[in-house]
Amino acid sequence: MTKRARRNHTPTFKAKVALAAIRGEKTLAELAQQFDVHPNQITQWRGQLLEGAAGVFGRDKADTAMPAVDLKALHAKIGELALENDFLSGALGKAGLLSAKR
């Protein structure tokens, strides 16, 4: 007996199989034979589709909103760091430890 290589199915294929399972026109065994996948895999994909179906029609605004960023504080921090860099480069330049230009 030869072992079948592991297969990766596209999300489109998974959705197609799961929708066919939800319609219920054929049994799991018939679908498994038609799409050449294990019945347990069809059941799993069907469950995932049903779980994620609510997200298709509406997402919570709180989940998708980015956290508020205080731009004033960030600009102040950038100013402080720029001032420190200028001061340190000047001090090191006067001490002869750093050339004026990099």
Side-chain angles (χ1 to χ4, degrees):
M1 285 176 88
T2 60
K3 198 172 187 182
R4 184 190 306 196
R6 185 179 183 110
R7 296 179 293 170
N8 294 323
H9 300 288
T10 63
T12 306
F13 177 77
K14 292 177 184 180
K16 179 180 174 181
V17 174
L19 285 172
I22 289 172
R23 281 189 209 112
E25 295 171 357
K26 295 184 179 180
T27 66
L28 280 179
E30 291 171 337
L31 290 173
Q33 187 176 18
Q34 177 185 349
F35 293 109
D36 194 28
V37 293
H38 198 274
N40 290 347
Q41 189 67 66
I42 295 173
T43 304
Q44 184 181 13
W45 291 342
R46 180 180 168 270
Q48 289 174 350
L49 180 65
L50 291 174
E51 278 181 21
V56 172
F57 296 108
R59 303 207 186 279
D60 292 338
K61 299 296 181 192
D63 291 344
T64 59
M66 297 293 291
V69 177
D70 186 14
L71 288 179
K72 281 189 174 185
L74 291 175
H75 286 291
K77 187 64 175 177
I78 290 170
E80 288 177 29
L81 293 173
L83 187 64
E84 280 182 28
N85 284 341
D86 290 342
F87 173 77
L88 291 174
S89 66
L92 289 174
K94 288 181 184 177
L97 298 174
L98 181 69
S99 64
K101 292 184 180 180
R102 289 186 175 198

